[in-house]
Amino acid sequence: MPSSFIGGEMGFGTTPRVTVHITRRDVPRAAAARVPRAAPGSTTRATLAIPNTLVVELTDIRGLYKPGHVPAGVTHPRRSERLPGYLSEDHKGRIFLNRDLDNNYARDQQQIEITARVSVVRGMLPASAKIKWTVTDPDDTFDADPSVHRESAPVVDPGDHDASGAPTGALPRDNRGTFDHSPRWEEVSGFPIDITDDAEAKTDIVSGESKVLIHCPNTAGDDLLVTATIDSSVPVEVFGASTGVMTVWHRVDVEYVKMPSALDLPVDQVPPFFEEACAELSFSAPTVVKKNTPFMHLSGPSRDASFSQYIDNNAVHARDPGWFVVVAAMEGERPASTRDSRVILNSRVRLRDNISYTGSAVGAHAYLLKEFFTVRGDFSNAIAATFLWDGKEARFLIMAPVVMELNGETYTRLWIWPNDHTAQIDSPDGSLDQAYLHQKFYSPRYHHDGAAWVPGGYGMPDRVRVKLLSAGASSLQGNSPPLPGARGDYFCGRTVVFTHHTTFRDPETGHRTPDYDSEGVRIISHELVHAFGMPHRCGYLDHRAPRRRTCRMNYTFDWMLDPADHTRVIPGFTDRIGPHLCPLHLLRVRTVHLEDNDALHTVGW
Amino acid sequence: MEDEEERDDSDIDDPGGPPPGVLFRAAMLPEYIRGFPLHAAITLRPDPPGATLRLLPWPTLASTANAIGYLLTEPGSPHTVAERIPRPVIAMDPDDPGLTLPSHGAYRTLIDLAPLWPPHLPAGQYRLTLLFISGFGRAETAPFEIAYRDPTLEEQRTLDDRRPEIPRGGTWFVWSRAPAADKPTLRGPFAANDPLAYLALQRWFLRGDDDLADIAPSTLDVLPPLYAPEADLLRAELARARGDLPTFDALEQRLLADHPGFRAHLDDIRDGHSELQEINEARRARKR
């Protein structure tokens, strides 16, 4: 507001219009006291009641980082950097999980150290005066952003909505985290502390200054606001101070490794899409390795082992806590075939099911073999099927072609691999096991809800047209080799992007394809969301309004879950993947504890 | 078949049959030692043989791919001492079809059970049944009688010497591929009773500075029978490096008779495109 504003009413906006009533209180100036003048030869007296007027100013917050700040002399800054004196006046200040005050990785530490200066405007500083610190938990305003769809908001901030999802107001005290340090207040040497409770503490004022260390809640997206005032046994007039809203974030440094002939990845475009989930990814300047490895995987170990070994051998921070690695490589492996995948059959077929499970296909997961169709001829090289009916189209992979001879004629029975969606994510711990705990399956006419097949899925009729695709010269776009941990394989933030894949690079010219940047961002960000322990294929739209795009974790050919009936999927969303996350993925990226990923833990997280 | 030629197969009245599955076989060493790798050799085949199985988890020596588990009992007792029931990720990735078992094909690999092993299992005699779980269901091996013991003082010294060479959070497999500061030390000696012998030989071939052509194939004779096919693959690598095609051909014939899944790897060796051949060629280029 203008400095000349003397208080009163201010209005903002039109429809709706917000009216704010503002009271202005000026810090008094120190002035000479006027006393009665005495005539010559007479005496007079006056009693001066000098109020103690104190001003508290916050002068610095260690452990707080300002987005977009570029410190002098830093050529490759992180997405946010420390700015001495920054108090989050813009309410965008970031406090990082698992970092000490100097930004070193420190498991289960998220803290700030605040310095306050006390100025005496009038009177004196009472001997008993202390700084009284108060921490409050303001409302998370993410869901109030007009770009957040109204159906997404209750997922991210249920406290601001009733059971039906209707907004109930911007309510505070909505942090999800706990404190990894008890008590949450900690004395800074030289400034003795008196802790009242988790919300309040008092510290001594020494030479007009006081400091306190505050442990912050341990979940990204949690926010806090700190006020400082004076606590004194004698009356004082105090002008206190407050920080802006400070928010807890993940901070991950991402080492960017590049082969000399690999195309440069659009890594600069990736971080903004993580920041809506309070995850700051800062890519390093590229580490350019000395020589090319045209095919990263050769005969020998598995692909994952080859890719993992390449990362270990070429990334400086491959096994450092607080780091992910993204590699721009050439090709994943030498193509097994020179022929592209192509349509090998266009036929009307009959879908069948209800097979009794015998033989070796028993036990866990054998239930996936639910639907099949049979065609004449040997189609053992079929890898995918596109079904067409009633103007609709859906794609599946072929799980198992079985070639048979019946009455002297060759047939192939093709078992369909049902598409999977994971629309519930509970307590992700980085393991693939936990990520896909609530995975459900959708086949042409059925849905498997985790216990049994029920009608649903894609709602196809029994007879449909199918186009079979052959296995061709497959080549990988990207891969994220896992690391082992207590529950098997774990996501661990090690991603390779193969920039000579035809999606990225025109094989004739060697130039980037027109969609290079958008595809590159999609692949990198998809893989790095996995790194937070997330499953793919949620089957949801993204969290934005208006609703145009699907969550970044879906596949291009996916149908989305029917919001009214999760036994079914609905068409109309293929090739509509956007760069944003659905509210569920967004929330879970916020709330995951990367330091509890067992595989990352073994490398020092 | 023309791409867009339309036809009708909806008249085929195939009521179906049992869905295809995985035949799972394994071989094990008679004895394992705490702290060392716990290698087993597994083979997967389609059942029926004419089926092609796609999107299988891909266990290797590097990772059991969340697909391998075990049941451990004491001999003569039905009581389970420890178990590990894997829950493989059934997450289709159109970009990565996983392991494919072609019709009449087979996939053999060594695996390391150590990362899955109960850390405080007492030394003793056990019956071990391996599990392989995939989208095609659960498959089990017949039980194996194995001994599990603590390391001797000398074996403990080996562990103490070599463990610091494992990259942080890594396994013995990662160790076998880690660069070595002192390459001549990779030359051995290799003892038949050293549980790290196979991985140590691999490390020498990968990370040493000796041309594969100069390594005597008999060096591999030290490996126990469990490793016989993998030793033959390494012999084929050495033969190719020497330009000894008759030996290579003989090894290829022997291997493919029992392990058709080695076809692609052998083709790569013959073409000089296997990992070891490419590394060896780079090694030669540096020395020229």
Side-chain angles (χ1 to χ4, degrees), chain A residues 265-490:
Chain A
L265 294 173
V267 294
D268 291 347
Q269 299 175 42
V270 173
F273 300 111
F274 283 86
E275 299 192 348
E276 59 197 21
C278 298
E280 180 182 297
L281 303 184
S282 292
F283 284 80
S284 70
T287 304
V288 180
V289 298
K290 287 181 184 168
K291 66 184 183 70
N292 288 317
T293 302
F295 302 105
M296 193 176 279
H297 170 59
L298 302 165
S299 290
S302 70
R303 283 179 185 158
D304 283 350
S306 296
F307 303 155
S308 196
Q309 180 187 324
Y310 187 90
I311 291 167
D312 279 339
N313 291 349
N314 291 283
V316 177
H317 299 289
R319 288 176 186 253
D320 284 349
W323 285 85
F324 290 164
V325 177
V326 170
V327 179
M330 295 167 69
E331 292 191 65
E333 58 191 350
R334 189 174 278 106
S337 161
T338 55
R339 297 195 69 171
D340 287 334
S341 178
R342 63 192 183 93
V343 176
I344 52 175
L345 176 70
N346 180 351
S347 183
R348 188 169 168 77
V349 296
R350 180 180 176 188
L351 295 169
R352 303 292 293 258
D353 64 281
N354 288 335
I355 299 306
S356 57
Y357 302 131
T358 58
S360 56
V362 295
H365 301 297
Y367 57 80
L368 292 181
L369 295 153
K370 173 66 176 172
E371 295 197 69
F372 66 92
F373 58 97
T374 305
V375 296
R376 293 181 180 84
D378 182 342
F379 287 93
S380 55
N381 62 337
I383 194 168
T386 300
F387 295 102
L388 302 104
W389 76 103
D390 299 340
K392 298 169 189 159
E393 185 174 318
R395 184 177 165 197
F396 291 82
L397 290 191
I398 298 299
M399 191 172 179
V402 183
V403 177
M404 312 170 289
E405 296 289 330
L406 294 174
N407 301 322
E409 191 169 4
T410 302
Y411 295 87
T412 306
R413 186 184 297 145
L414 296 130
W415 292 89
I416 299 163
W417 180 270
N419 286 319
D420 64 287
H421 290 291
T422 302
Q424 182 182 345
I425 310 169
D426 287 340
S427 307
D429 63 1
S431 69
L432 278 70
D433 194 3
Q434 184 68 19
Y436 291 101
L437 193 63
H438 297 290
Q439 189 179 42
K440 305 286 190 290
F441 295 93
Y442 297 80
S443 75
R445 300 170 297 158
Y446 294 95
H447 162 66
H448 195 280
D449 61 7
W453 286 101
V454 295
Y458 286 72
M460 286 186 208
D462 290 354
R463 286 177 164 78
V464 290
R465 179 154 296 284
V466 68
K467 290 186 177 181
L468 275 184
L469 285 171
S470 65
S474 69
S475 63
L476 293 170
Q477 277 186 306
N479 181 281
S480 293
L483 286 177
R487 296 180 66 183
D489 285 344
Y490 281 68

Side-chain angles (χ1 to χ4, degrees), chain B:
Chain B
M1 170 71 56
E2 286 300 315
D3 285 359
E4 296 303 319
E5 181 188 338
E6 293 188 12
R7 66 182 220 194
D8 192 338
D9 290 278
S10 63
D11 61 315
I12 298 172
D13 187 20
D14 175 17
V22 177
L23 282 179
F24 179 43
R25 299 285 181 268
M28 301 205 64
L29 294 166
E31 179 182 81
Y32 292 92
I33 306 168
R34 188 189 310 280
F36 285 97
L38 276 66
H39 286 162
I42 63 166
T43 302
L44 308 174
R45 295 178 193 274
D47 177 24
T52 298
L53 308 186
R54 302 190 192 284
L55 301 153
L56 285 159
W58 200 331
T60 65
L61 196 46
S63 164
T64 53
N66 278 24
I68 301 288
Y70 58 80
L71 304 171
L72 206 54
T73 60
E74 288 174 347
S77 164
H79 176 63
T80 301
V81 176
E83 66 177 22
R84 175 91 175 200
I85 311 297
R87 188 177 170 280
V89 175
I90 311 292
M92 182 269 281
D93 182 347
D95 196 33
D96 184 356
L99 174 65
T100 296
L101 282 181
S103 60
H104 304 283
Y107 171 70
R108 163 172 168 125
T109 184
L110 293 171
I111 58 169
D112 184 4
L113 296 170
L116 316 178
W117 206 245
H120 305 297
L121 184 73
Q125 294 291 127
Y126 294 98
R127 283 166 66 88
L128 176 70
T129 303
L130 295 182
L131 314 175
F132 176 77
I133 299 184
S134 71
F136 294 91
R138 167 172 162 159
E140 296 183 6
T141 65
F144 294 90
E145 300 277 344
I146 62 161
Y148 184 63
R149 66 168 174 83
D150 291 316
T152 63
L153 284 176
E154 187 181 349
E155 288 162 347
Q156 188 59 52
R157 270 196 297 277
T158 301
L159 287 172
D160 293 344
D161 288 347
R162 291 177 171 174
R163 269 199 186 121
E165 299 173 355
I166 303 176
R168 186 165 52 188
T171 59
W172 284 114
F173 174 80
V174 175
W175 170 80
S176 76
R177 311 182 67 77
D182 187 5
K183 293 186 176 186
T185 61
L186 300 180
R187 291 180 181 138
F190 306 97
N193 60 354
D194 178 2
L196 289 169
Y198 175 71
L199 295 178
L201 281 158
Q202 281 272 13
R203 194 174 184 209
W204 178 28
F205 291 7
L206 281 167
R207 298 295 173 196
D209 55 7
D210 294 299
D211 192 309
L212 295 184
D214 298 333
I215 295 175
S218 59
T219 312
L220 294 159
D221 295 346
V222 72
L223 292 174
L226 178 76
Y227 300 90
E230 284 71 22
D232 271 354
L233 265 183
L234 291 174
R235 288 187 186 96
E237 298 271 14
L238 301 183
R240 169 62 172 78
R242 291 194 308 274
D244 181 357
L245 288 182
T247 300
F248 178 89
D249 290 342
L251 286 164
E252 180 180 59
Q253 195 174 2
R254 188 161 82 192
L255 273 167
L256 292 180
D258 291 330
H259 306 288
F262 286 145
R263 170 88 272 165
H265 195 161
L266 286 161
D267 286 348
D268 280 350
I269 296 172
R270 182 187 291 278
D271 296 342
H273 291 322
S274 69
E275 181 183 38
L276 276 176
Q277 294 304 318
E278 296 226 355
I279 286 174
N280 201 50
E281 198 50 45
R283 190 182 283 138
R284 286 173 177 172
R286 280 198 303 274
K287 289 180 177 176
R288 277 197 284 268

